[in-house]
Amino acid sequence: KQSPFLAQSPAFISMCSDDPNNLPEVNKVKGVAIAVLVFGVISCLGFLVPGEWWGGLGGVLAVIGASVLLCCTGSGASASAGSHIGAGVLIASAAIVHAVAVIVYIVFWANVVNAVNDNCDDGVYSNPDDPNNQDEVDCDALSGGLEGARCREG
């Protein structure tokens, strides 16, 4: 059962129901904006990766763009056109930043794999004379099996 307080709230009416003054396509955008908002919030977890903040920045842009669509659009074509354009620019910018984030994360992962392979080749993980080395480390497991794949190809 719906709360009587929410039913009378103008913010609830404009955010969670179709506006008869808008085109049906404009009303459908709110459903897409909710998905963009959810994925934007999840993308903000990208700020937790040290030095690799691109995903978080894309998430913030997506959250702002989706929020504009959900709460700040007017009624009627002329009132909501500017906010839709602004939100579209923000969400498109978020998509571009996310594409950059994918490239940055792939490069980061490749650098980590190369560093592990270099250390395995140099014997860093398998030095029996090192007092800190308690067990032999499986370098194939550390590099995701790439070392063995490279040997089989060559």
Side-chain angles (χ1 to χ4, degrees):
K1 184 177 174 185
Q2 189 178 25
S3 169
F5 298 111
L6 287 178
Q8 297 171 358
S9 169
F12 179 80
I13 292 169
S14 68
M15 194 163 78
C16 297
S17 64
D18 290 344
D19 186 351
N21 295 326
N22 285 334
L23 296 172
E25 291 82 9
V26 173
N27 289 326
K28 290 178 186 176
V29 166
K30 290 182 181 181
V32 174
I34 291 171
V36 171
L37 181 67
V38 169
F39 285 114
V41 169
I42 293 169
S43 293
C44 286
L45 294 174
F47 284 122
L48 299 177
V49 180
E52 308 295 334
W53 44 266
W54 290 94
L57 178 62
V60 168
L61 291 171
V63 166
I64 294 170
S67 298
V68 167
L69 288 174
L70 289 173
C71 73
C72 302
T73 57
S75 180
S78 62
S80 64
S83 58
H84 281 261
I85 291 171
V89 168
L90 283 168
I91 293 171
S93 299
I96 292 168
V97 171
H98 278 113
V100 170
V102 167
I103 294 168
V104 168
Y105 290 146
I106 288 172
V107 169
F108 174 74
W109 175 81
N111 288 334
V112 168
V113 168
N114 284 335
V116 168
N117 284 337
D118 290 346
N119 286 337
C120 281
D121 293 342
D122 294 340
V124 171
Y125 297 123
S126 60
N127 185 0
D129 298 330
D130 185 3
N132 295 324
N133 188 5
Q134 298 173 356
D135 296 322
E136 292 286 324
V137 175
D138 182 9
C139 286
D140 283 339
L142 281 175
S143 63
L146 295 177
E147 184 67 34
R150 240 187 322 180
C151 291
R152 285 191 292 269
E153 289 176 4

